[in-house]
């Protein structure tokens, strides 16, 4: 869960910079609404990624306190999105954001939508190779993973 969340988070940060021509910072917000990549499946994949990271930590450490923390963070995200982020996006991107909201769920992507769309995993594949190379404990140790490509 932790690594999946980290991969989602970093993929979204890269997508903000490349596709949105901006950053996460309010000082340099995206100049273009990002609706491709993971944002095609969820309006808030970055928050989903962070929640997965926190859930992974709670599972790994078997900690009730971390479960409670993850839940409180998710609730804080939800309130922030409803009260601040979505109104700002409606103001900045008006009709484009409204159409996007009609097509894409706020949180978890639809399995049917995921299975019905060809998805390019090249960026995630590239990131995972770099990540696993960096966390390998020694040159003799190899980490294997498999990316499933979804086809129509």
């Amino acid at each position: 869960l932790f690594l999946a969340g980290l991969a989602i988070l970093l993929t979204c940060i890269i997508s903000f910079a490349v596709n949105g021509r901006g950053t996460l910072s309010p000082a340099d917000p995206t100049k273009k609404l990002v609706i491709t990549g993971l944002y095609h499946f969820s309006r808030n994949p970055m928050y989903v990624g962070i929640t997965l990271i926190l859930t992974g930590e709670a599972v790994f450490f078997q900690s009730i306190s971390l479960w409670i923390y993850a839940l409180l963070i998710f609730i804080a995200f939800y309130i922030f999105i409803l009260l601040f982020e979505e109104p700002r996006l409606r103001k900045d991107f008006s009709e484009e954001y409204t159409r996007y909201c009609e097509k894409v769920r706020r949180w978890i992507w639809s399995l049917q939508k995921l299975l019905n769309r060809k998805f390019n995993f090249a960026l995630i594949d590239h990131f995972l190779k770099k990540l696993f190379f960096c966390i390998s404990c020694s040159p003799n140790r190899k980490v294997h993973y498999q990316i499933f490509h979804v086809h129509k």
Side-chain angles (χ1 to χ4, degrees):
L1 290 174
F2 180 89
L3 289 178
L6 185 62
I8 290 170
L9 179 62
L10 293 177
T11 299
C12 292
I13 290 170
I14 292 167
S15 185
F16 258 48
V18 173
N19 299 324
R21 295 178 306 204
T23 67
L24 306 176
S25 169
D28 184 25
T30 59
K31 287 137 188 82
K32 184 179 172 198
L33 183 63
V34 180
I35 59 174
T36 59
L38 296 176
Y39 288 91
H40 181 78
F41 303 100
S42 168
R43 293 198 314 258
N44 299 292
M46 215 176 295
Y47 296 121
V48 171
I50 292 169
T51 303
L52 284 174
I53 289 170
L54 296 175
T55 303
E57 290 175 345
V59 168
F60 181 79
F61 291 109
Q62 299 177 8
S63 168
I64 293 290
S65 298
L66 286 175
W67 278 107
I68 293 169
Y69 177 71
L71 178 63
L72 292 174
I73 291 296
F74 177 78
I75 291 168
F77 286 160
Y78 195 82
I79 292 168
F80 175 77
I81 288 166
L82 288 179
L83 298 180
F84 299 102
E85 193 167 88
E86 287 184 351
R88 183 192 63 81
L89 290 168
R90 277 191 185 86
K91 180 179 160 251
D92 291 351
F93 300 108
S94 60
E95 189 61 35
E96 183 183 12
Y97 185 71
T98 302
R99 283 192 309 273
Y100 176 61
C101 289
E102 290 169 359
K103 293 178 185 174
V104 180
R105 293 180 180 189
R106 181 178 286 127
W107 293 111
I108 304 296
W109 38 96
S110 160
L111 183 60
Q112 181 179 0
K113 189 172 191 174
L114 186 64
L115 295 175
N116 287 337
R117 176 169 160 73
K118 248 186 184 176
F119 189 72
N120 181 353
F121 281 95
L123 185 60
I124 295 171
D125 184 58
H126 174 73
F127 167 73
L128 288 175
K129 284 180 182 173
K130 285 196 173 292
L131 176 68
F132 287 137
F133 176 76
C134 292
I135 64 170
S136 293
C137 295
S138 68
N140 302 348
R141 199 174 206 183
K142 292 182 181 177
V143 180
H144 298 281
Y145 69 98
Q146 184 173 2
I147 296 291
F148 294 95
H149 293 276
V150 180
H151 300 285
K152 281 187 176 180

